Amino acid sequence: MRDAAPKTIFLSDYTPYPWTVESVDLHFSLDPHATRVRSVIRFARNPAYAGDTPDTMFLHGEQVKLISAQIDGTAVDPEVTGEGLTCAVPAGSFTWEAEVEIDPANNTALEGLYMSNGMYCTQCEAEGFRKITFYPDRPDVMSVFTVTIDGPHPVLLSNGNPVKTGEHHAEWHDPWPKPAYLFALVAGDLVAHSDTFTTMNGRQVDLNLYVRPGDEGKCAFGMGALKASMTWDEQVYGREYDLDLFNIVAVDDFNMGAMENKGLNIFNSSAVLASPETSTDMNFERIEAIIAHEYFHNWTGNRITCRDWFQLCLKEGLTVYRDSQFTSDMRSAPVKRISDVIDLRGRQFAEDQGPLAHPVRPESFQEINNFYTATVYEKGAEVIGMLKTLVGEDAYYKAVELYFDRHDGDAATIEDWLKVFEDTTGRDLTQFKRWYSQAGTPRLSVEESFELDTLTLTFTQHTPPSAATPEPQPLVIPIAIGLIYPDGREALETKVLEMTKEVQSFRFTGLEDRPVASVLRGFSAPVVLTHDLSDADRMLLLSADTDPFNRWEAGNMLARTTMLAMIRDGAAPDPAFLNAIKDIALDESLDPAFRALMINWPGPAELANVLHEAGEVPDPEQLFTVGEQMRDAMAETFADAASDLYARHSVSGAYQPDAAQSGKRALSNVMLAFISRRSGTETAQAQFDSADNMTQQISALSQILRHGEDSTALDAFYQQWKDDRLVMDKWFGLQVSCAKPEDGADTARRLTDHPDFNHKNPNRFRAVFGALIGHHAAFHHKSGDAYTLLADWLITLDPLNPQTTARMCSAFQTWKRYDADRQARILAEVERILATPDLSRDTTEMLTRIKGA
């Protein structure tokens, strides 16, 4: 394990590496416990390095045993530490040769070269390559790789194009320079689902999706999603694939969703394997999006990579934005946008408002693995979207084309990205750049005045100061607005206002009547909006707004008002609001997926944050009770309509994971929940018994678990799917998420004793504990049992897999929202974990930041 002592790295300290790497030749002789890696690396002086080239060279290396080293054929004896080696080097160019030994079978951290059920695989982002051999493991050091693999396996894969293959031997060459974090190797007993793709310039690309024997039937959707992504990237961004071969490999043990290694994408099995019988509609959509994301990285991440890890948002924010565009085009754009905002508010806003707050591009870090965050990814994507909104669609694509032309083959920066927009549009983006450097979610408030025929909107922006940004400055905020007359007519179609000052007013003249302002359409900026509208105004927007996002937002705000009144005053749910939602659900002119989203209300975590920001202390038990009361009230409101809607939107015929069928199933399953709540689980049991796809089966099972009295269906589900590891993840997670709050921790504890629970597998660990953390009332039960259980398991997992452990620690980041007793219980568990001997750097940094809130 690496030294846990924190070492802060600063963006301002960046200097180029003193040498360039002209070529890399790697030879792997695979063995579970004694893999030998021979490297031949050609170094040359880097002209971009200021000053004299040093006479000693440092190469990163961790958990690798040096067997021998040579420079220009002469043996050398470098100084080796737990972080790497230092060696005297000659002036000018030289060739470094080394042989090392590594132990993939015992690499439970799942970074570098490791084994997953007998398969060799790699994960090198961010700093995993240094666990394979000694190398300058930084993203700005790019080189051409040639790889030779010897091992007793039928399939031996690496990046690029195959040079030579034979029994237990393969050679690969990647002609495109890349940093070490994009290196990949896979070896195992695998079968390929193969296809081809013809690019826009007529080149044929061979496509393979490699899986374990038995998973061949789960490949077709992933292959189709890959081909759709390749077509879309050509049509929308003009990006053509650049190798003869594109391989994807499904791996069971993987810390992330997937990895964009050049030409050889390695995927968590859950992010690529799909069949109607074993995958839900949400699984299919997630798989489609992740495949697109990793493929799009071929240009926004691989051909143009990031100069240093502070620029992580450059490749991730842009690629998340691109995969969101793709999903919007493949499915429902309004539903995608609403879903993205729900996720942003639930995850990224929580980061911004707590001890883990950091800018989209942080100024410093201790452990880079801890900055694969919603702020870097999702807020990074929102910044791209704002930029596109400000410059317009044509200018956006013109600037991106210049970015590809100018920086192909580069390790680029945010400054490089913004410069192409300045050069293309003539705009000064100095102020806009603050979105990358300031932490926190801006607060945007609006006040209205109306005189004669003129409406004046006065906006005020304020970003709360934080440790990361103690003195925030005004931002450039694109505010998309529309105006709706009281009779429902649109007085002003969507117009984008550009706010640059702390306080700024905008006037709209020639109006027939005082309109209702529809502000922040499409969620045009990631801000918290305060707009003092009456319930009647929001009801108008709910029924008549032409912007789907703001129509949903009006319903969400009405639901929030209703639930806050229930919490604070014991009020009953507002019948007018409930009936308005029912009217939308019955409107057959609307997309069923949109209607299903409209029958929604703020969750307990969102309400807890609203109360906390108002200076109140949320009670998780009360929030759960109010949520249940809302479900009861909604079920009563739909009493005369639920069965008809359920039947009308039940899908017959062959299952398709497309937007049309998925939307109908989403709406019918919302109705199933109402039916089960009022009338018991007979309908749910019938759906469970007859289901021919996982969406219907697991939706029915969730209602049976919530409202039923026996475990027959749960046992039947287990017997049917006990041999399918991905479905079993669902079985584990569903039991925790459906448990009563007082039973949540006990349910999770019982499942960790199940013989199929394996804490070394990130998917299985997240299935149980992700579900427990997501069950707000169970995780924050007054007993504190869930805090203790999670802490016990994080202590157990940390020496094996620090990355997964550190990410799960974020469950504690909102501890200061709650009452003194809960705060004390959480703090005690945080301190107990921190007191663990040899705690990893990853977990130490996360918990130290959380504790210091």
Side-chain angles (χ1 to χ4, degrees):
M1 178 169 297
R2 289 182 291 184
D3 182 3
K7 178 182 177 182
T8 303
I9 300 170
F10 295 92
L11 170 61
S12 58
D13 290 341
Y14 171 82
T15 57
Y17 191 62
W19 296 272
T20 60
V21 177
E22 296 179 338
S23 64
V24 180
D25 286 86
L26 300 174
H27 189 135
F28 288 80
S29 298
L30 298 177
D31 180 274
H33 293 287
T35 288
R36 289 291 180 102
V37 184
R38 297 195 301 275
S39 59
V40 180
I41 306 170
R42 183 67 178 167
F43 287 94
R45 188 185 185 283
N46 184 359
Y49 182 78
D52 295 332
T53 303
D55 56 9
T56 60
M57 174 180 66
F58 176 78
L59 300 178
H60 298 99
E62 297 177 6
Q63 301 173 28
V64 294
K65 178 182 177 182
L66 181 63
I67 305 300
S68 64
Q70 299 178 33
I71 291 180
D72 291 335
T74 301
V76 293
D77 186 20
E79 178 186 352
V80 180
T81 69
E83 301 289 326
L85 64 75
T86 303
C87 187
V89 295
S93 301
F94 60 91
T95 299
W96 164 268
E97 298 179 65
E99 184 170 11
V100 303
E101 185 175 283
I102 54 179
D103 184 357
N106 284 324
N107 184 1
T108 59
L110 311 184
E111 56 179 351
L113 179 67
Y114 66 93
M115 299 194 74
S116 173
N117 297 325
M119 180 199 308
Y120 291 87
C121 53
T122 55
Q123 170 55 28
C124 294
E125 186 176 358
E127 297 176 340
F129 191 79
R130 62 191 62 184
K131 292 186 175 182
I132 293 175
T133 192
F134 292 101
Y135 192 77
D137 189 8
R138 40 189 288 170
D140 60 340
V141 177
M142 304 172 69
S143 186
V144 173
F145 281 65
T146 301
V147 178
T148 302
I149 312 168
D150 292 322
H153 311 283
V155 174
L156 303 169
L157 305 173
S158 192
N159 308 88
N161 297 317
V163 176
K164 184 189 300 182
T165 59
E167 187 176 7
H168 309 319
H169 176 86
E171 295 178 26
W172 292 81
H173 177 71
D174 185 356
W176 300 104
K178 65 174 178 286
Y181 83 85
L182 291 173
F183 171 79
L185 181 150
V186 171
D189 180 13
L190 301 168
V191 292
H193 178 93
S194 301
D195 206 334
T196 61
F197 179 82
T198 302
T199 71
M200 59 186 180
N201 287 316
R203 288 190 307 105
Q204 180 173 298
V205 179
D206 293 328
L207 310 176
N208 296 295
L209 204 170
Y210 285 94
V211 297
R212 296 184 183 281
D215 286 334
E216 299 93 327
K218 300 179 182 179
C219 297
F221 180 80
M223 183 61 76
L226 173 60
K227 295 177 73 172
S229 303
M230 298 175 81
T231 299
W232 185 90
D233 210 20
E234 289 184 345
Q235 293 174 345
V236 178
Y237 281 87
R239 296 301 98 196
E240 183 179 30
Y241 186 62
D242 53 5
L243 289 168
D244 301 331
L245 186 68
F246 189 90
N247 289 327
I248 292 175
V249 181
V251 176
D252 288 346
D253 300 286
F254 204 71
N255 284 330
M256 301 182 182
M259 179 59 205
E260 70 268 18
N261 321 289
K262 184 69 177 178
L264 177 57
N265 285 190
I266 300 179
F267 272 64
N268 188 314
S269 296
S270 67
V272 67
L273 300 181
S275 72
E277 297 78 17
T278 61
S279 307
T280 66
D281 291 335
M282 291 181 64
N283 294 149
F284 278 103
E285 182 174 342
R286 175 176 179 263
I287 288 167
E288 183 179 67
I290 292 176
I291 287 174
H293 180 96
E294 304 308 334
Y295 175 74
F296 297 156
H297 264 314
N298 187 63
W299 277 91
T300 51
N302 296 2
R303 286 285 288 263
I304 306 176
T305 191
C306 47
R307 186 196 71 179
D308 52 70
W309 290 120
F310 296 99
Q311 320 295 330
L312 182 61
C313 60
L314 176 64
K315 75 182 185 77
E316 295 300 348
L318 178 54
T319 306
V320 169
Y321 181 72
R322 278 161 35 81
D323 81 54
S324 293
Q325 288 181 290
F326 171 78
T327 298
S328 295
D329 287 349
M330 296 298 106
R331 296 177 179 267
S332 163
V335 169
K336 173 60 176 171
R337 186 60 185 145
I338 294 165
S339 300
D340 282 350
V341 174
I342 291 171
D343 181 65
L344 185 81
R345 288 172 170 172
R347 296 172 56 239
Q348 196 281 317
F349 280 20
E351 282 180 5
D352 264 354
Q353 295 162 12
L356 301 181
H358 62 276
V360 173
R361 182 174 70 176
E363 297 294 320
S364 65
F365 62 78
Q366 292 178 2
E367 177 52 64
I368 184 56
N369 288 328
N370 289 338
F371 278 92
Y372 282 74
T373 63
T375 299
V376 167
Y377 280 67
E378 277 69 38
K379 189 173 181 179
E382 293 294 320
V383 175
I384 303 294
M386 285 190 291
L387 187 57
K388 182 170 180 280
T389 298
L390 287 168
V391 305
E393 184 160 324
D394 290 345
Y396 169 80
Y397 285 109
K398 185 177 179 182
V400 174
E401 183 68 27
L402 178 59
Y403 177 68
F404 291 135
D405 290 343
R406 182 180 289 176
H407 295 290
D408 186 12
D410 283 356
T413 65
I414 289 300
E415 285 75 15
D416 295 326
W417 165 251
L418 294 178
K419 185 68 165 58
V420 299
F421 281 85
E422 291 182 327
D423 291 348
T424 302
T425 66
R427 294 179 62 112
D428 181 351
L429 295 175
T430 302
Q431 184 181 4
F432 182 82
K433 185 180 171 184
R434 291 174 186 165
W435 279 104
Y436 286 103
S437 61
Q438 291 192 173
T441 304
R443 271 56 174 168
L444 181 68
S445 61
V446 55
E447 294 183 355
E448 300 183 19
S449 65
F450 185 76
E451 270 188 63
L452 300 175
D453 66 347
T454 300
L455 175 71
T456 302
L457 299 179
T458 300
F459 293 91
T460 302
Q461 63 165 300
H462 166 69
T463 302
S466 65
T469 308
E471 297 182 0
Q473 301 298 308
L475 297 161
V476 179
I477 302 178
I479 307 169
I481 74 153
L483 301 177
I484 309 293
Y485 282 130
D487 62 5
R489 289 179 298 129
E490 191 166 50
L492 175 71
E493 294 183 356
T494 300
K495 177 182 178 65
V496 177
L497 312 176
E498 185 171 337
M499 185 179 187
T500 59
K501 301 175 183 177
E502 186 175 343
V503 180
Q504 202 163 343
S505 296
F506 300 89
R507 298 171 70 244
F508 304 90
T509 61
L511 297 168
E512 299 174 14
D513 196 354
R514 178 167 189 157
V516 175
S518 171
V519 179
L520 211 65
R521 283 185 160 182
F523 200 66
S524 58
V527 301
V528 173
L529 175 67
T530 300
H531 189 190
D532 188 18
L533 293 175
S534 67
D535 285 354
D537 289 339
R538 295 198 189 280
M539 289 291 282
L540 175 65
L541 295 178
L542 178 63
S543 64
D545 203 325
T546 57
D547 180 70
F549 174 80
N550 268 11
R551 193 173 186 187
W552 171 84
E553 181 76 311
N556 189 60
M557 294 302 295
L558 286 165
R560 177 189 289 187
T561 300
T562 292
M563 296 181 79
L564 289 175
M566 294 166 69
I567 293 166
R568 290 166 172 159
D569 306 320
D574 180 6
F577 162 69
L578 298 174
N579 282 307
I581 295 297
K582 178 183 174 183
D583 289 343
I584 290 173
L586 291 170
D587 186 348
E588 291 296 331
S589 69
L590 298 174
D591 175 10
F594 178 75
R595 287 185 272 165
L597 264 182
M598 291 297 297
I599 310 171
N600 208 337
W601 48 85
E606 180 181 342
L607 290 172
N609 183 58
V610 172
L611 292 167
H612 174 68
E613 293 225 322
E616 303 174 55
V617 179
D619 179 347
E621 182 178 352
Q622 183 188 32
L623 295 179
F624 178 80
T625 299
V626 165
E628 291 297 289
Q629 291 170 348
M630 274 289 286
R631 289 180 177 85
D632 287 339
M634 198 70 80
E636 285 301 318
T637 301
F638 278 84
D640 63 347
S643 293
D644 179 62
L645 279 171
Y646 173 75
R648 193 184 314 163
H649 292 279
S650 293
V651 179
S652 59
Y655 175 91
Q656 296 293 331
D658 56 22
Q661 280 199 14
S662 297
K664 291 172 73 69
R665 281 188 289 269
L667 184 57
S668 71
N669 282 320
V670 170
M671 295 303 115
L672 179 65
F674 293 158
I675 293 167
S676 300
R677 183 167 285 272
R678 290 190 71 254
S679 307
T681 59
E682 182 179 350
T683 303
Q685 185 65 55
Q687 177 171 309
F688 179 84
D689 293 338
S690 64
D692 63 356
N693 64 80
M694 182 55 63
T695 301
Q696 297 303 88
Q697 189 178 25
I698 207 158
S699 296
L701 181 59
S702 68
Q703 298 308 319
I704 293 168
L705 290 180
R706 286 187 170 95
H707 305 293
E709 298 181 356
D710 64 64
S711 60
T712 303
L714 185 66
D715 293 340
F717 189 89
Y718 177 80
Q719 292 302 320
Q720 182 180 1
W721 297 114
K722 62 184 178 181
D723 295 325
D724 189 299
R725 59 203 182 280
L726 297 180
V727 178
M728 279 294 93
D729 289 336
K730 297 177 173 64
W731 182 82
F732 274 89
L734 192 65
Q735 292 177 74
V736 179
S737 62
C738 291
K740 295 178 180 178
E742 61 272 22
D743 297 333
D746 284 342
T747 300
R749 183 179 292 107
R750 172 176 55 80
L751 288 169
T752 61
D753 291 330
H754 193 279
D756 291 336
F757 179 75
N758 175 14
H759 68 284
K760 295 180 182 180
N761 177 263
N763 289 350
R764 191 58 47 88
F765 189 87
R766 287 188 289 253
V768 173
F769 289 101
L772 180 60
I773 294 164
H775 191 331
H776 186 266
F779 185 64
H780 292 290
H781 189 263
K782 60 186 177 182
S783 66
D785 288 350
Y787 305 150
T788 301
L789 180 66
L790 178 61
D792 287 344
W793 278 100
L794 293 179
I795 290 170
T796 298
L797 185 63
D798 183 72
L800 302 173
N801 190 331
Q803 278 192 38
T804 298
T805 305
R807 286 171 185 158
M808 298 297 283
C809 287
S810 62
F812 296 128
Q813 69 178 314
T814 59
W815 66 283
K816 286 219 166 173
R817 286 181 184 171
Y818 301 98
D819 58 84
D821 183 62
R822 286 182 171 88
Q823 287 190 28
R825 290 178 184 274
I826 293 175
L827 190 57
E829 298 303 336
V830 168
E831 291 176 337
R832 181 164 69 93
I833 301 170
L834 283 169
T836 304
D838 299 320
L839 194 69
S840 72
R841 241 180 16 216
D842 309 57
T843 303
T844 298
E845 182 193 13
M846 287 289 283
L847 290 179
T848 300
R849 291 165 64 197
I850 288 170
K851 179 183 175 182

